[in-house]
Amino acid sequence: MFREFEEDKIFRFKEFDEARGYIEEFKDDKNTFEAIDYMINHREYYFLLKNVVKQINAKKNILAYLFFNLPCLKREEDLAMIIVILKKADEILKKIVIDYIKSCNNEEFAKQIFKSGLKAEAIEIFKKFPNLCGFLKEKIENENDKKVLKKAVEFFEIYDDEFAEKLKDKLGNQ
């Protein structure tokens, strides 16, 4: 009955090599978005992430589209590439990637990000996981970086006011 209103997804690309050129350039055109769809549909996640690193300054709408459509990744290589992207990203792309990570509900990956040195970014992700209070208290005890401490205060204002006050005192004494 509603067949005329349904739209079947028809990919412009029939082969990987056709789509690869658009991914390697990340130009802001319809073909790039179709190439991203092709790569996601064919589970070429590592290739996509590797090219995000190469084209880290690409238009943010392309990268936002990619992360909005990317399924939650589990392979260690893919997750390691996401950490590389976070390390090289500007603030806008960091926000996009952090939102993607939050949507995947992967606590262990959030801890891995913290351990990789991206503490402020990890704490932003931790806000979704109240049971990481103990982990963060243990790790933040000897921290001196103001940016990290401010993010920790935001986290503990949500989950543990007493510890938040303790961190605020520590920030005030620096």
Side-chain angles (χ1 to χ4, degrees):
M1 180 173 163
F2 293 104
R3 182 71 181 148
E4 63 186 326
F5 296 108
E6 292 179 14
E7 215 176 312
D8 292 326
K9 188 79 169 172
I10 299 172
F11 292 104
R12 178 192 179 292
F13 306 104
K14 304 263 186 263
E15 294 181 19
F16 176 86
D17 287 335
E18 290 179 78
R20 184 183 73 205
Y22 291 98
I23 297 299
E24 289 173 342
E25 293 180 18
F26 272 137
K27 289 184 179 172
D28 190 10
D29 66 9
K30 183 181 176 202
N31 291 334
T32 301
F33 292 99
E34 288 181 12
I36 290 170
D37 289 340
Y38 175 90
M39 294 295 175
I40 289 173
N41 192 50
H42 289 86
R43 296 189 173 112
E44 296 289 346
Y45 310 131
Y46 186 80
F47 180 78
L48 278 170
L49 297 172
K50 183 176 72 172
N51 279 285
V52 169
V53 172
K54 288 180 184 175
Q55 303 287 333
I56 201 83
N57 295 319
K59 293 220 177 211
K60 299 305 180 235
N61 63 331
I62 296 171
L63 300 176
Y65 180 82
L66 186 154
F67 281 102
F68 180 74
N69 289 290
L70 196 64
C72 293
L73 302 174
K74 301 206 181 336
R75 282 185 1 175
E76 288 301 316
E77 299 88 5
D78 297 335
L79 298 176
M81 193 58 68
I82 290 175
I83 290 174
V84 170
I85 292 168
L86 272 174
K87 286 182 177 181
K88 293 185 172 194
D90 62 11
E91 291 303 314
I92 296 169
L93 183 55
K94 278 184 184 179
K95 173 88 172 95
I96 292 167
V97 176
I98 286 170
D99 287 345
Y100 164 76
I101 295 167
K102 283 180 176 179
S103 73
C104 290
N105 290 321
N106 188 340
E107 265 182 52
E108 290 306 312
F109 183 50
K111 288 180 186 177
Q112 189 178 343
I113 291 169
F114 188 90
K115 292 173 186 172
S116 76
L118 295 166
K119 295 176 181 178
E121 292 81 358
I123 293 170
E124 183 64 33
I125 297 165
F126 287 178
K127 289 179 183 176
K128 184 160 181 165
F129 305 110
N131 55 332
L132 290 178
C133 278
F135 173 84
L136 187 55
K137 280 181 184 178
E138 178 186 313
K139 298 293 183 184
I140 208 78
E141 200 66 43
N142 297 319
E143 185 63 50
N144 291 319
D145 184 333
K146 282 189 176 191
K147 181 179 177 184
V148 173
L149 289 172
K150 286 179 183 178
K151 282 289 183 187
V153 166
E154 290 175 16
F155 174 85
F156 286 111
E157 284 178 336
I158 299 169
Y159 299 115
D160 186 344
D161 284 334
E162 188 177 309
F163 198 77
E165 290 303 319
K166 182 179 174 184
L167 288 177
K168 284 179 186 177
D169 291 342
K170 185 176 181 177
L171 267 171
N173 293 334
Q174 286 187 346

